[in-house]
């Protein structure tokens, strides 16, 4: 039992552990793949904006971030700086910030920052982070970086703008600055026609929607686009520079997420181990009980399904199953039923063995009796000293013939009983009219002188019916039942045979009724047992003891049955139930 318990525990642990680990791996892998893919897409579209949003998520509350010993500068990409501004415009945390950048911001400064996306000589990206579980606190994260194109478009629009155009005096300086960036500046009027163009690159007209795509996803293109609209003249300035974005940001956010998932995996595996232990104990305990019962059954103890100790474990005092065993309610019921059937089967085997022994003993006795008589007469006939008279020889011959006939009948009954049991599949059946066939069978009893003192009456069924029978065996069944009524009753016993329709069984009933001595309960109980002759001591011949057993076997071969109702001193009724063809 200990080995079984260990195997169950090991089995459930491995099974649940493997399933849980597989689920964790799949979920974590899917999460990271999705997160990494999404992050890469966002990085490809707008590198600095993505970096800033990831920083804001990682840092969250700047005070708590610093309390845990983290340095903001460690999470920043190269050549960038970061300011975290509270709701009052005060910078609460910063890293790598140049000296000329403010430490406090007014509402006007925030508006200028938003419109120009520039602080000093640095382009900026910003995002507002509202903290969870921290009241209504919110922080503005500002990431600064060098982006000459944005600085240049702002500088040109502020210093060289002459009614939406670049004046002739400023054009050499503009050309020089554009050449340094390898950029191109195109100025369009309200109709979309180029009115001025500067730089060392000729602008190639792109698809209309590329204007929007280059603003929302600037890092998807090999060149960056910066725009300015002069509201006075309606002219539009578009500056193009090459996109050389290739920086990588430290994956500190992913590192923290990985640690969280590793811890979560450990917790899940621990819970899985506990569930496995509980499951193996809960579902294993009933298996131990079933195993114990099977061992007892193997030892031949069919009555004791559960020991007293096991019953206390499984059942409450009121006889109901405990909650943990209710899942196996049908199993316990099946075991109880099986125990009853096995015990009944054992008793039946014992009874059959006893009957077999009695049968063999009876057969031996029945064969020995006529053989002894025949042997005795044979020895007498072989005695040459005695002169037998003709009458004596006649009597001896009649006795030997009678005993020989009895032995032949006994052997034939044995053979027939064996065939009915083992060779029934080779039998053929024919449709016959029951009234005509029964009259044909009973005619020999009505004409037989041995039945002259036993009047036989037949009542047919109306209308006539047809049934499928093996004619030879069916006649043998009726003969056995008729001879049984004759053998066990005194003279003047009337025998009535009638055929009727059975409403409940949807079959025909062949009833053989006599008003003779009847049978006691013990005789009725064993009437169809092989080699049982009953307790009637007034029988006129020995018989083989197989007649009723053979009759029952024949009825079953016809998909029928036989029942007996009898009462001592009031006669007997034997009823044969047979299906019939209603067509």
């Amino acid at each position: 039992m200990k080995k079984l318990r260990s195997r169950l525990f090991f089995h459930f642990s491995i099974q649940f552990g493997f399933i849980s680990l597989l689920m964790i791996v799949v979920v974590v892998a899917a999460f990271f793949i999705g997160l990494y893919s999404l992050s890469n897409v966002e990085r490809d579209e707008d590198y600095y904006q993505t970096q800033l949003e990831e920083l804001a998520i990682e840092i969250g509350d700047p005070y708590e971030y610093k309390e845990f010993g983290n340095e903001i500068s460690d999470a920043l990409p190269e050549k960038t700086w970061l300011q975290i501004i509270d709701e009052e415009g005060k910078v609460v945390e910063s890293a790598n910030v140049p000296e000329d950048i403010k430490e406090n911001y007014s509402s006007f400064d925030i508006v200028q920052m938003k419109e120009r996306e520039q602080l000093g000589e640095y382009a900026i990206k910003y995002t507002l982070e509202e903290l969870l579980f921290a009241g209504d606190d919110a922080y503005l994260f500002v990431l600064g970086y060098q982006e000459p194109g944005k600085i240049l478009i702002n500088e040109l629009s502020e210093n060289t703008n002459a009614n939406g155009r670049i004046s002739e005096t400023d054009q050499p300086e503009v050309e020089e600055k554009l050449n340094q960036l390898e950029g191109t500046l195109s100025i369009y009027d309200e109709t979309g026609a180029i009115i001025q163009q500067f730089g060392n690159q000729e602008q190639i007209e792109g698809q209309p929607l590329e204007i929007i795509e280059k603003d929302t996803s600037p890092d998807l293109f090999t060149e960056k686009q910066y725009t300015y609209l002069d509201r006075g003249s309606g002219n539009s300035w578009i500056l193009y520079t090459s996109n050389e974005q290739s920086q990588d940001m430290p994956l500190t956010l992913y590192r923290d997420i990985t640690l969280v998932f590793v811890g979560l995996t450990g917790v899940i595996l621990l819970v899985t181990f506990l569930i496995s232990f509980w499951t193996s104990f809960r579902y294993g305990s009933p298996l131990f009980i079933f195993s114990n019962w099977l061992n007892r059954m193997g030892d031949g103890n069919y009555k004791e399904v559960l020991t007293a100790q096991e019953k206390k474990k499984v059942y409450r005092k009121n006889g109901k199953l405990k909650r943990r065993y209710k899942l196996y309610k049908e199993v316990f019921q099946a075991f109880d039923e099986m125990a009853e059937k096995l015990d009944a089967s054992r008793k039946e085997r014992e009874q059959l063995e006893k009957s077999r022994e009695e049968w063999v003993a009876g057969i031996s006795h029945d064969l020995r009796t006529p053989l002894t008589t025949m042997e005795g007469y044979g020895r007498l006939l072989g005695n040459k000293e005695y002169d037998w008279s003709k009458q004596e020889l006649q009597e001896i011959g009649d006795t030997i013939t009678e005993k020989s006939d009895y032995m032949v009948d006994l052997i034939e009954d044995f053979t027939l009983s064996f065939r009915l049991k083992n060779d029934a599949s080779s039998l053929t059946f024919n449709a016959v009219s029951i009234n005509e066939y029964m009259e044909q069978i009973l005619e020999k009893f009505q004409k037989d002188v041995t039945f002259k003192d036993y009047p036989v009456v037949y009542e047919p069924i109306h209308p006539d019916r047809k049934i499928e029978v093996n004619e030879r065996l069916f006649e043998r069944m009726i003969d056995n039942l008729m001879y049984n009524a004759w053998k066990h009753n005194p003279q003047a016993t009337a025998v009535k045979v009638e055929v009727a329709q059975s409403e409940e069984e949807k079959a025909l009933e062949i009833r053989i009724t006599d008003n003779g001595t009847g049978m006691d309960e013990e005789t009725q109980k064993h009437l169809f047992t092989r080699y049982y002759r009953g307790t009637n001591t007034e029988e006129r011949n020995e018989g083989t003891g197989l007649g009723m057993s053979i009759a029952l076997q024949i009825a079953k071969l016809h998909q029928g049955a036989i029942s007996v109702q009898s009462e001592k001193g009031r006669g007997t009724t034997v009823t044969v139930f047979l299906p019939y063809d209603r067509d």
Side-chain angles (χ1 to χ4, degrees):
M1 291 298 106
K2 291 183 179 179
K3 291 184 178 180
L4 179 59
R5 188 187 299 273
S6 300
R7 286 199 304 271
L8 285 171
F9 174 72
F10 179 77
H11 172 78
F12 282 115
S13 298
I14 293 298
Q15 185 179 21
F16 280 95
F18 178 76
I19 293 174
S20 299
L21 185 61
L22 182 62
M23 292 176 62
I24 292 171
V25 169
V26 171
V27 171
V28 172
F31 176 81
F32 274 107
I33 292 173
L35 188 63
Y36 183 77
S37 299
L38 182 62
S39 176
N40 279 342
V41 170
E42 292 177 348
R43 285 170 182 237
D44 290 341
E45 291 179 350
D46 193 341
Y47 176 80
Y48 287 111
Q49 185 65 39
T50 302
Q51 309 297 22
L52 177 61
E53 290 175 357
E54 291 182 2
L55 278 171
I57 294 174
E58 180 181 357
I59 295 172
D61 189 334
Y63 295 107
E64 293 183 359
Y65 188 78
K66 295 284 286 186
E67 287 179 3
F68 284 104
N70 298 313
E71 293 294 334
I72 296 176
S73 58
D74 295 339
L76 287 177
E78 295 181 2
K79 300 179 181 180
T80 63
W81 53 265
L82 180 71
Q83 281 187 329
I84 303 176
I85 305 171
D86 64 12
E87 294 178 339
E88 296 178 356
K90 180 180 178 182
V91 176
V92 295
E93 287 294 341
S94 62
N96 302 338
V97 179
E99 295 181 357
D100 58 341
I101 303 299
K102 295 182 177 180
E103 294 293 329
N104 286 281
Y105 294 88
S106 64
S107 298
F108 177 76
D109 294 332
I110 297 297
V111 171
Q112 289 291 314
M113 179 193 305
K114 177 177 177 297
E115 290 295 328
R116 301 180 73 243
E117 295 185 345
Q118 179 181 343
L119 281 177
E121 298 297 322
Y122 295 89
I124 63 169
K125 296 288 185 179
Y126 59 88
T127 184
L128 183 65
E129 183 72 12
E130 296 182 357
L131 302 182
L132 297 175
F133 314 113
D136 297 326
D137 291 346
Y139 294 94
L140 181 66
F141 286 75
V142 180
L143 180 70
Y145 58 96
Q146 292 180 344
E147 190 167 7
K150 182 178 288 293
I151 303 300
L152 180 60
I153 191 70
N154 289 335
E155 179 183 342
L156 295 178
S157 63
E158 293 174 359
N159 300 328
T160 64
N161 185 3
N163 195 24
R165 301 167 65 93
I166 294 179
S167 62
E168 293 183 3
T169 57
D170 294 326
Q171 289 181 5
E173 182 181 357
V174 170
E175 287 282 359
E176 182 181 355
K177 291 181 178 181
L178 288 172
N179 290 333
Q180 292 176 357
L181 293 179
E182 297 181 353
T184 300
L185 176 64
S186 300
I187 301 178
Y188 298 84
D189 61 14
E190 290 181 332
T191 65
I194 297 178
I195 56 177
Q196 283 185 312
Q197 189 170 43
F198 305 95
N200 58 4
Q201 295 181 6
E202 182 179 353
Q203 172 60 22
I204 301 175
E205 189 76 18
Q207 297 294 331
L209 292 184
E210 282 188 5
I211 300 295
I212 301 298
E213 290 176 352
K214 286 180 179 179
D215 276 341
T216 58
S217 305
D219 292 324
L220 289 179
F221 300 89
T222 57
E223 59 183 17
K224 284 194 173 184
Q225 164 189 288
Y226 307 95
T227 60
Y228 166 72
L229 174 63
D230 183 70
R231 301 185 183 279
S233 62
N235 294 342
S236 297
W237 296 20
I238 301 179
L239 172 64
Y240 296 95
T241 63
S242 61
N243 187 1
E244 299 178 354
Q245 182 54 257
S246 61
Q247 298 186 71
D248 290 326
M249 177 182 178
L251 299 177
T252 54
L253 176 62
Y254 296 114
R255 178 198 62 198
D256 295 340
I257 294 176
T258 301
L259 293 176
V260 171
F261 271 95
V262 169
L264 181 61
T265 301
V267 172
I268 292 176
L269 289 177
L270 177 61
V271 172
T272 300
F273 178 81
L274 296 176
I275 292 176
S276 301
F277 180 79
W278 176 82
T279 303
S280 64
F281 179 76
R282 178 178 179 85
Y283 295 102
S285 295
L287 296 180
F288 302 146
I289 294 175
F290 300 151
S291 178
N292 291 333
W293 182 82
L294 291 173
N295 289 333
R296 288 193 291 272
M297 185 179 67
D299 295 334
N301 184 5
Y302 301 132
K303 290 184 178 181
E304 188 180 30
V305 178
L306 300 176
T307 62
Q309 183 178 1
E310 289 171 341
K311 287 180 180 178
K312 289 182 180 179
K313 184 185 295 185
V314 174
Y315 293 97
R316 296 191 179 97
K317 293 182 179 180
N318 59 4
K320 294 184 177 181
L321 284 171
K322 292 183 179 179
R323 183 185 299 275
R324 60 185 297 186
Y325 294 100
K326 284 186 176 180
L327 178 63
Y328 299 94
K329 179 180 178 181
E330 290 77 10
V331 179
F332 280 106
Q333 291 176 350
F335 269 37
D336 288 333
E337 294 174 0
M338 186 186 301
E340 292 178 2
K341 291 179 180 179
L342 288 173
D343 190 50
S345 177
R346 178 180 59 81
K347 292 179 179 178
E348 184 178 356
R349 287 198 307 271
E350 293 175 354
Q351 181 63 38
L352 288 174
E353 181 64 23
K354 181 180 179 182
S355 298
R356 186 185 66 83
E357 293 175 356
E358 292 176 353
W359 186 22
V360 171
I363 292 172
S364 300
H365 174 269
D366 274 2
L367 289 174
R368 188 182 299 113
T369 300
L371 284 173
T372 302
T373 301
M374 295 168 68
E375 182 187 12
Y377 281 122
R379 292 182 184 276
L380 288 175
L381 290 174
N383 189 352
K384 297 179 180 179
E385 298 178 356
Y386 186 79
D387 187 16
W388 298 94
S389 66
K390 184 177 181 179
Q391 182 178 356
E392 287 175 332
L393 291 175
Q394 181 68 40
E395 290 177 355
I396 291 173
D398 291 341
T399 302
I400 292 175
T401 300
E402 180 184 348
K403 298 302 180 183
S404 299
D405 291 342
Y406 170 75
M407 293 177 65
V408 171
D409 291 341
L410 187 62
I411 293 172
E412 287 181 350
D413 280 353
F414 290 157
T415 304
L416 178 59
S417 180
F418 179 82
R419 286 190 58 199
L420 292 175
K421 181 178 181 181
N422 299 285
D423 197 25
S425 60
S426 63
L427 298 176
T428 58
F429 293 82
N430 300 313
V432 298
S433 298
I434 187 62
N435 286 337
E436 180 182 351
Y437 191 53
M438 285 298 295
E439 289 173 355
Q440 178 183 336
I441 295 174
L442 296 176
E443 184 179 1
K444 63 185 176 185
F445 293 100
Q446 294 167 341
K447 293 181 178 181
D448 194 336
V449 294
T450 58
F451 275 83
K452 63 180 181 178
D453 295 324
Y454 297 87
V456 178
V457 177
Y458 174 61
E459 291 186 4
I461 185 174
H462 297 288
D464 199 357
R465 299 285 191 274
K466 285 189 176 182
I467 58 175
E468 294 280 342
V469 299
N470 180 280
E471 297 181 34
R472 184 176 62 83
L473 292 180
F474 186 84
E475 182 175 355
R476 178 62 184 272
M477 176 182 67
I478 299 299
D479 288 349
N480 285 4
L481 297 178
M482 292 296 293
Y483 279 118
N484 202 60
W486 167 61
K487 285 192 305 178
H488 298 282
N489 289 304
Q491 294 180 353
T493 299
V495 179
K496 178 183 178 182
V497 181
E498 59 179 326
V499 179
Q501 181 171 323
S502 172
E503 295 295 338
E504 295 182 0
E505 300 294 336
K506 296 182 180 179
L508 292 182
E509 293 183 2
I510 302 175
R511 293 191 287 267
I512 301 174
T513 305
D514 65 66
N515 59 354
T517 58
M519 293 178 282
D520 56 26
E521 292 184 1
E522 185 68 18
T523 301
Q524 293 182 58
K525 181 179 179 182
H526 298 285
L527 185 61
F528 297 101
T529 303
R530 292 179 179 182
Y531 201 78
Y532 185 82
R533 294 190 181 83
T535 58
N536 191 344
T537 59
E538 298 180 0
E539 296 180 16
R540 287 171 299 287
N541 60 52
E542 295 171 338
T544 65
L546 295 171
M548 294 301 288
S549 174
I550 290 174
L552 180 59
Q553 286 181 273
I554 294 173
K556 289 182 177 178
L557 287 177
H558 288 79
Q559 307 299 318
I562 299 179
S563 67
V564 178
Q565 293 83 36
S566 183
E567 186 176 348
K568 196 69 173 175
R570 292 181 176 271
T572 301
T573 298
V574 179
T575 304
V576 181
F577 298 90
L578 291 174
Y580 69 92
D581 186 357
R582 293 183 177 275
D583 297 333

